[in-house]
């Protein structure tokens, strides 16, 4: 056996070389390159977003040197390079094009820079466990004097908080799990259960009520920390947490990381000074905050075995995204009401919306949430016009599965157990020590036994129907025990349905999605067709609903539509009004109210 010495650090440096050309320049310095020739790879996907994105396509130029001399760098496949053997320190320098204003990749212009390590840092094959140092350098020019840096990476000695300089990661996995924002962001902070949480807000937000935002975020974070670590010892799983929030005119998204999250939101979602009411938009934003923060436990530490560790060159298949995304989607809204940020009535509205959303697509009768999870790479993340007919979302259906399971456990154990107990058991057995030397994920077939052990219930029927089946969940019956009535809202005007979702195309109206079994499909219309007229009256982007309101279900109309440049005329029999809304109402029955209180903590 050979004595192992501590691996020497991999050193990275990244500089916004040309904000105008959206180019970062990155160098990676390897002091002990593999003797046979060092290989480097860039991830093909970013954890949390299950689609192969091939980030290496944004590497514009790349070269290597050793002791000041050029070293040949062979490209082996779409994201792998191999340097010729060399003795001494190997330096690879490359430019990355960064013009993707999302939470998933990298962006750079003269207003700010943002990057995920998966887009910019090459993996040094065989040295993934070596510690990493990264010099984050200020772009040259007077215009960037006021820029600062926000990241969950730890600043090295000599680097002040929020400043450019040297940052540290324990290994490559932490390096690429710690996105970096640079620019003139607004910075705020709060403590949740004793741990500092920072918020960096990029982009202009006039009259932002930062105090209210921080106050509400703190409540949500503390409620979640206490869910997983109840009692006096409530401790967050990280020593510091950073919210990186990019604000834009219109946008919504988030990506979870172990001690930070990148969020994208409309500035109009954020609270305005002097306005105390809870707008739907702000509630939606807090739901996003709650969702990504919940992932700190559920998927960043409690993980499927398929992600422990991730293999970032190819798809990583798991049938469990309903647990990692669906359950997170259940708790994101639940935590808003439990933390007191929203009222129970607002929570019911959110649940009713999810129910309506799931029940609208017939894909739910064809694909299980386990299958939806497995095929996320090619189906959920690559949806086409047929998606509502073919797939179910492991987010929305998954959140209803969690709701149904929570209410089932509460009912069958007479309130002694709940889904919270299952989340805590997952946390204690898999999550708590994940970054403390026990990186074990949960095997696919270990989930049901664990749920059964913790709840003390036989859940085989539940798993067969809710997870591995397509039958609709008995939500109305389960909610009834909580004194809640779930019912469809019949459209008031009785407008018959076309059986299609439409989209504006200038002044014209096109069919975006044609629903299975609907009137449009029976009439031979397809997604992409442009509606021209109904019974000889012109259809425009704005008048379809009004036109349809003059008819009754079962009426036969003549539709003119263009498919590409060919005009079609077809008879169409209008369908029954579509149920697009559900409602949940509360009874005053005492025992049910007490059960609700225990569930919602309100
Ligand atoms: Zn998520």
């Amino acid at each position: 056996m050979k004595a192992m010495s501590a691996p020497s650090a991999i050193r990275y440096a990244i500089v916004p070389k040309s904000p105008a050309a959206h180019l970062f320049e990155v160098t990676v310095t390897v002091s002990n390159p593999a003797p046979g020739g060092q290989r480097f790879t860039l991830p093909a996907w970013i954890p949390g977003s299950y689609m192969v994105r091939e980030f290496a396509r944004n590497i514009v130029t790349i070269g290597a040197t050793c002791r000041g001399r050029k070293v040949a760098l062979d490209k082996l496949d779409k994201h792998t390079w191999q340097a010729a053997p060399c003795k001494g320190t190997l330096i690879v320098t490359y430019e990355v094009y960064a013009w993707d204003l999302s939470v998933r990749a990298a962006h750079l212009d003269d207003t700010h820079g943002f990057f995920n390590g998966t887009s910019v840092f090459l993996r040094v094959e065989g040295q993934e466990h070596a510690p990493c140092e990264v010099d984050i350098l200020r772009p040259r020019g007077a215009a960037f004097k006021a820029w600062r840096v926000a990241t969950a990476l730890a600043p090295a000695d000599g680097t002040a908080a929020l400043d450019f300089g040297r940052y540290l990661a324990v290994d490559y996995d932490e390096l690429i799990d710690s996105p970096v924002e640079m620019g003139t962001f607004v910075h705020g902070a709060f403590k949740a259960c004793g741990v500092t949480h920072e918020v960096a807000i990029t982009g202009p937000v006039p009259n932002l009520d930062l105090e209210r935002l921080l106050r509400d975020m703190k409540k949500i974070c503390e409620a979640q920390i206490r869910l997983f670590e109840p009692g006096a010892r409530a401790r967050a799983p990280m020593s510091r947490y950073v919210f990186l929030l990019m604000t834009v005119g219109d946008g919504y998204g988030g990506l979870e990381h172990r001690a930070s999250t990148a969020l994208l939101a409309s500035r109009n979602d954020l609270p305005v000074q002097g306005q105390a009411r809870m707008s739907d938009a702000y509630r939606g934003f807090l739901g996003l905050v709650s969702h990504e923060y919940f992932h700190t436990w559920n998927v960043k530490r409690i993980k499927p075995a398929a992600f422990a560790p991730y293999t970032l060159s190819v798809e990583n298949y798991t049938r469990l995204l309903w647990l990692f995304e669906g359950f997170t989607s259940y708790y994101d809204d639940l935590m808003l009401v439990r933390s007191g940020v929203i009222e129970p009535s607002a929570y019911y509205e959110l649940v009713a919306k999810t129910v309506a959303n799931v029940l609208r697509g017939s894909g739910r009768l064809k694909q299980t949430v386990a299958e939806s999870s497995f095929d996320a790479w090619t189906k959920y993340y690559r949806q086409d016009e047929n998606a509502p007919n073919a797939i179910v979302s492991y987010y929305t259906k998954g959140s209803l599965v969690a709701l149904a399971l929570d209410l089932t456990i509460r009912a069958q154990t007479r309130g002694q157990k709940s889904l919270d107990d299952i989340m805590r058991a997952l946390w204690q057995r898999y999550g708590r020590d994940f970054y403390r030397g026990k990186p074990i994920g949960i095997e696919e077939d270990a989930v049901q036994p664990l749920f059964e052990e913790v709840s003390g219930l036989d859940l085989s029927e539940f798993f067969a129907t809710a997870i591995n089946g397509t039958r609709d969940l008995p939500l109305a019956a389960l909610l009834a025990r909580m004194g809640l009535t779930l019912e469809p809202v019949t459209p008031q005007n009785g407008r018959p349905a076309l059986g299609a979702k439409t989209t504006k195309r200038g002044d014209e109206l096109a069919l975006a999605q044609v629903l299975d079994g609907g009137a449009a499909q029976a009439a031979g219309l397809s997604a992409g067709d442009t509606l021209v007229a109904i019974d000889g009256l012109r259809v425009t982007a704005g008048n379809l609903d009004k036109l349809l309101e003059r008819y009754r279900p079962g009426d036969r109309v003549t539709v003119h539509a263009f498919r590409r440049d060919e005009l079609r005329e077809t008879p169409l029999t209008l369908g029954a009004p579509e149920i697009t809304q559900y409602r949940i109402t509360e009874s005053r029955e005492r025992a049910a109210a007490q059960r609700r209180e225990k569930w919602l903590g309100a």
Side-chain angles (χ1 to χ4, degrees):
M1 235 174 98
K2 211 171 84 175
M4 298 284 281
S5 58
S8 48
I10 306 295
R11 280 180 286 137
Y12 294 88
I14 181 163
V15 60
K17 187 184 184 184
S18 173
H22 318 301
L23 289 176
F24 283 106
E25 185 181 80
V26 187
T27 62
V28 49
T29 302
V30 186
S31 48
N32 298 310
Q38 181 62 54
R39 281 190 186 189
F40 299 89
T41 62
L42 199 67
W45 59 282
I46 180 167
S49 184
Y50 306 108
M51 182 168 142
V52 170
R53 295 179 192 275
E54 296 165 335
F55 297 116
R57 44 196 289 283
N58 291 314
I59 293 185
V60 181
T61 60
I62 186 166
T65 59
C66 181
R67 293 178 174 180
R69 295 171 71 149
K70 202 167 180 294
V71 172
L73 200 57
D74 233 8
K75 192 161 188 186
L76 304 182
D77 63 29
K78 63 186 177 183
H79 49 213
T80 310
W81 289 261
Q82 176 157 337
C86 65
K87 284 205 174 103
T89 299
L90 177 66
I91 301 174
V92 178
T93 304
Y94 50 101
E95 289 177 324
V96 181
Y97 179 66
W99 190 236
D100 179 340
L101 193 59
S102 77
V103 296
R104 300 178 296 256
H107 173 91
L108 176 65
D109 66 9
D110 57 5
T111 64
H112 78 118
F114 169 82
F115 63 81
N116 286 287
T118 37
S119 281
V120 296
F121 295 132
L122 285 172
R123 181 168 69 91
V124 181
E125 222 170 79
Q127 301 196 40
E128 297 81 0
H129 299 298
C132 300
E133 299 173 0
V134 51
D135 292 334
I136 304 174
L137 305 170
R138 188 188 297 278
R140 260 195 251 169
F144 308 106
K145 283 274 187 290
W147 277 28
R148 300 189 288 175
V149 172
T151 177
L153 291 172
D157 288 345
T159 298
L162 299 176
D163 203 359
F164 286 87
R166 179 160 296 178
Y167 287 82
L168 307 173
V170 294
D171 56 16
Y172 182 74
D173 188 48
E174 186 182 45
L175 178 70
I176 60 169
D177 200 13
S178 311
V180 174
E181 170 66 35
M182 52 177 78
T184 54
F185 45 81
V186 168
H187 186 262
F190 59 87
K191 289 221 170 190
C193 299
V195 169
T196 298
H197 288 60
E198 298 172 42
V199 187
I201 305 170
T202 298
V205 187
N207 292 315
L208 169 68
D209 191 343
L210 183 62
E211 260 178 54
R212 180 181 177 196
L213 180 66
L214 298 177
R215 204 165 53 232
D216 288 340
M217 289 172 73
K218 176 188 168 84
K219 284 185 198 165
I220 295 165
C221 294
E222 291 196 330
Q224 296 194 14
I225 295 168
R226 295 203 167 104
L227 169 74
F228 285 98
E229 298 280 1
R233 287 180 47 251
R235 271 199 61 229
M238 72 319 260
S239 55
R240 184 175 146 245
Y241 190 90
V242 183
F243 293 92
L244 301 176
L245 167 58
M246 288 186 275
T247 62
V248 290
D250 188 26
Y252 185 86
L255 198 58
E256 67 275 10
H257 300 282
R258 71 183 67 176
S260 59
T261 178
L263 306 172
L264 182 78
S266 165
R267 63 182 65 92
N268 302 322
D269 295 349
L270 300 180
V272 183
Q273 278 170 27
Q275 287 181 13
R277 74 179 196 92
M278 174 63 69
S279 66
D280 287 359
Y282 182 42
R283 190 175 70 187
F285 172 75
L286 291 175
L288 177 67
V289 166
S290 183
H291 181 96
E292 303 308 338
Y293 194 71
F294 197 84
H295 276 315
T296 309
W297 293 267
N298 196 29
V299 96
K300 292 315 306 187
R301 286 170 178 78
I302 307 164
K303 293 183 193 233
F307 294 172
Y310 299 111
T311 304
L312 294 175
S313 53
V314 292
E315 293 86 348
N316 290 185
Y317 293 100
T318 171
R319 287 181 173 80
L320 298 178
L321 293 182
W322 56 268
L323 167 55
F324 295 99
E325 288 300 348
F327 281 33
T328 299
S329 298
Y330 171 60
Y331 275 101
D332 62 21
D333 289 337
L334 187 60
M335 284 296 150
L336 296 186
V337 64
R338 281 200 189 158
S339 64
V341 167
I342 65 169
E343 295 294 320
S345 57
Y347 177 67
Y348 306 149
E349 267 177 45
L350 293 169
V351 172
K353 252 189 201 155
T354 309
V355 170
N357 185 320
V358 170
L359 292 181
R360 267 191 95 177
S362 65
R364 76 185 197 283
L365 304 172
K366 297 162 196 162
Q367 192 189 42
T368 68
V369 288
E371 291 165 344
S372 177
S373 301
F374 193 84
D375 282 333
W377 304 86
T378 50
K379 294 192 174 185
Y380 185 79
Y381 267 91
R382 291 171 66 181
Q383 294 183 27
D384 60 20
E385 65 289 337
N386 198 42
N389 299 326
I391 67 171
V392 71
S393 160
Y394 51 79
Y395 283 87
T396 49
K397 171 87 186 276
S399 82
L400 297 184
V401 168
L403 170 66
L405 182 60
D406 198 4
L407 298 184
T408 300
I409 296 173
R410 285 170 191 272
Q412 294 189 15
T413 63
R414 300 182 166 274
Q416 295 305 301
K417 296 279 178 194
S418 74
L419 196 59
D420 299 352
D421 295 295
I422 287 179
M423 295 314 298
R424 278 191 286 269
L426 284 166
W427 170 241
Q428 287 155 14
R429 292 180 206 184
Y430 294 94
R432 204 187 256 158
D433 293 326
F434 189 87
Y435 294 117
R436 298 180 195 167
K438 281 177 87 179
I440 299 162
I442 185 161
E443 296 292 342
E444 307 274 309
D445 55 9
V447 172
Q448 188 183 329
L450 184 143
F451 282 22
E452 291 183 333
E453 182 205 318
V454 175
S455 65
L457 302 174
D458 174 1
L459 294 172
S460 48
E461 175 70 13
F462 185 88
F463 270 76
T465 54
I467 310 295
N468 299 310
T470 56
R471 202 191 308 156
D472 286 333
L473 302 161
L475 288 174
L478 289 166
L479 287 165
R481 196 178 158 274
M482 289 291 177
L484 299 173
T485 307
L486 169 71
E487 57 195 347
V489 181
T490 326
Q492 267 183 352
N493 47 28
R495 181 175 64 230
L498 202 57
K501 291 182 189 177
T502 56
T503 181
K504 288 176 190 176
R505 237 187 236 163
D507 283 345
E508 300 178 323
L509 198 73
L511 301 183
Q513 293 165 329
V514 171
L515 303 176
D516 260 358
Q521 192 183 62
L525 295 171
S526 296
D529 291 354
T530 307
L531 289 182
V532 175
I534 293 179
D535 278 350
L537 295 171
R538 187 181 170 209
V539 174
T540 66
N543 76 350
L544 179 67
D545 287 354
K546 285 266 174 279
L547 268 179
L548 290 176
E549 277 168 22
R550 306 204 66 85
Y551 294 91
R552 300 274 66 91
D555 282 355
R556 207 171 146 87
V557 296
T558 300
V559 172
H560 282 87
F562 273 113
R563 178 164 306 166
R564 299 178 297 275
D565 63 345
E566 297 164 26
L567 185 66
R568 306 164 72 94
E569 181 188 312
T570 176
L572 181 147
T573 304
L574 291 165
E578 211 193 336
I579 305 287
T580 56
Q581 264 184 294
Y582 280 76
R583 177 171 46 214
I584 292 176
T585 41
E586 211 177 77
S587 82
R588 284 165 194 253
E589 200 236 314
R590 274 283 289 276
Q594 281 170 356
R595 288 195 280 270
R596 251 184 351 250
E597 211 168 288
K598 216 172 156 194
W599 170 40
L600 302 177

